[in-house]
């Protein structure tokens, strides 16, 4: 997590590491190495429902294999399996895993292409991964589009607003960066200690403009 009192700059890598560290879905153990079994709680009857591998969503087995390989840091093979899953069923959660793979591989071209190929992905998990990922790969303008989507959903999360300010700085737009910091400074979202950090940031950027 990013805290104003600890850092002079937004740690983009910290944001990325945070989202990558969260396993998209934990691998499910196979029964007798032949049958995939999932227990689903029936809210109405509180009974357990067993689902066999034959009724799984197409591509799920490839996805589970890809996830295990990703956790084991076998990124090349993980990418092959998640691509196989996507060919069978073009699900957003498969795209999420693929994006994580490209970030860990530091492959900015594939990451950017993946984002541009799926503009309709709109889950919170997608935004939380893609915004800092684009920032990490220096796609600052597009990164801010995703950060602004996050701000709409999570307006109380200061880190998203700080991240947009950093992107403006890196794009050379100090006016927008200062405006973002001022807006936060004047809000009731920050503590007195955070306001002190913000005013120093605003003063430093203003001085650099002169």
């Amino acid at each position: 997590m990013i805290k104003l009192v600890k850092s002079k700059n937004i740690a983009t890598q910290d944001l990325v590491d945070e989202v990558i560290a969260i396993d998209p879905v934990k691998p499910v153990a196979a029964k007798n190495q032949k049958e995939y079994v999932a227990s689903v709680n029936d809210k109405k009857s509180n009974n357990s429902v067993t689902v066999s591998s034959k009724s799984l969503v197409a591509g799920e087995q490839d996805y589970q294999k890809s996830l295990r390989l990703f956790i084991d840091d076998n990124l090349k093979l993980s990418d092959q399996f998640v691509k196989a899953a996507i060919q069978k069923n073009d699900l957003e959660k498969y795209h999420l895993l693929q994006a994580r793979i490209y970030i860990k591989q530091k492959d900015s071209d594939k990451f950017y292409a993946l984002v541009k190929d799926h503009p309709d992905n709109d889950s919170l998990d997608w935004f939380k991964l893609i915004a800092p990922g684009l920032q990490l790969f220096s796609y600052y303008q597009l990164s801010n589009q995703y950060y602004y989507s996050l701000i709409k959903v999570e307006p109380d999360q200061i880190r998203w607003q700080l991240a947009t300010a950093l992107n403006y700085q890196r794009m050379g737009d100090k006016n927008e960066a200062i405006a973002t910091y001022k807006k936060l400074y004047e809000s009731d979202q920050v503590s007195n200690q955070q306001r002190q950090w913000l005013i120093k940031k605003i003063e430093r950027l203003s001085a650099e403009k002169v």
Side-chain angles (χ1 to χ4, degrees):
M1 300 290 290
I2 295 171
K3 295 183 180 179
L4 289 172
V5 296
K6 287 187 177 182
S7 175
K8 293 184 179 179
N9 293 304
I10 305 302
T12 304
Q13 188 63 54
D14 288 348
L15 284 172
V16 173
D17 289 345
E18 181 181 331
V19 291
I20 288 180
I22 302 171
D23 293 338
V25 177
K26 292 182 179 179
V28 183
K31 184 178 180 181
N32 297 326
Q33 298 181 348
K34 292 182 179 180
E35 184 180 15
Y36 183 114
V37 177
S39 293
V40 180
N41 291 325
D42 186 335
K43 294 181 180 179
K44 294 183 179 180
S45 63
N46 292 324
N47 290 329
S48 180
V49 180
T50 300
V51 183
S52 71
S53 58
K54 293 181 180 179
S55 61
L56 287 176
V57 175
E60 189 66 18
Q61 288 182 325
D62 288 323
Y63 169 72
Q64 291 293 334
K65 290 176 183 177
S66 176
L67 183 56
R68 291 188 181 92
L69 290 162
F70 176 81
I71 293 170
D72 291 338
D73 213 29
N74 190 338
L75 302 180
K76 185 176 181 179
L77 199 54
S78 177
D79 188 32
Q80 291 178 16
F81 275 101
V82 78
K83 284 178 178 176
I86 290 170
Q87 286 181 347
K88 295 173 183 176
N89 202 349
D90 198 25
L91 297 181
E92 183 178 309
K93 75 172 185 175
Y94 300 168
H95 304 157
L96 273 166
L97 179 53
Q98 196 170 34
R100 285 178 166 88
I101 291 168
Y102 294 153
I103 289 174
K104 290 195 75 173
Q105 289 178 326
K106 299 181 180 179
D107 195 326
S108 61
D109 291 338
K110 287 184 179 179
F111 182 84
Y112 179 77
L114 178 68
V115 173
K116 296 297 287 184
D117 285 344
H118 301 287
D120 295 331
N121 287 351
D122 59 1
S123 72
L124 190 58
D125 287 339
W126 181 255
F127 292 154
K128 284 183 176 181
L129 179 65
I130 298 308
L134 287 167
Q135 187 176 40
L136 183 68
F137 292 133
S138 302
Y139 297 108
Y140 302 127
Q141 188 171 359
L142 185 56
S143 170
N144 268 1
Q145 292 181 29
Y146 283 89
Y147 276 128
Y148 281 123
S149 295
L150 281 168
I151 291 169
K152 288 180 182 178
V153 179
E154 297 184 337
D156 294 331
Q157 282 285 357
I158 296 173
R159 60 181 177 165
W160 307 139
Q161 298 174 62
L162 290 171
T164 64
L166 179 60
N167 276 340
Y168 284 126
Q169 282 182 243
R170 290 177 173 173
M171 286 189 288
D173 194 342
K174 292 180 181 178
N175 288 330
E176 281 296 335
I178 291 170
T180 303
Y181 289 131
K182 283 184 176 179
K183 184 178 179 181
L184 268 177
Y185 176 82
E186 295 167 358
S187 75
D188 57 1
Q189 295 177 272
V190 295
S191 66
N192 289 332
Q193 192 172 18
Q194 291 170 332
R195 281 193 176 88
Q196 292 176 10
W197 183 92
L198 284 165
I199 195 64
K200 289 179 181 178
K201 189 72 175 177
I202 293 167
E203 290 173 349
R204 185 162 57 250
L205 284 174
S206 298
E208 290 174 1
K209 286 176 58 182
V210 178

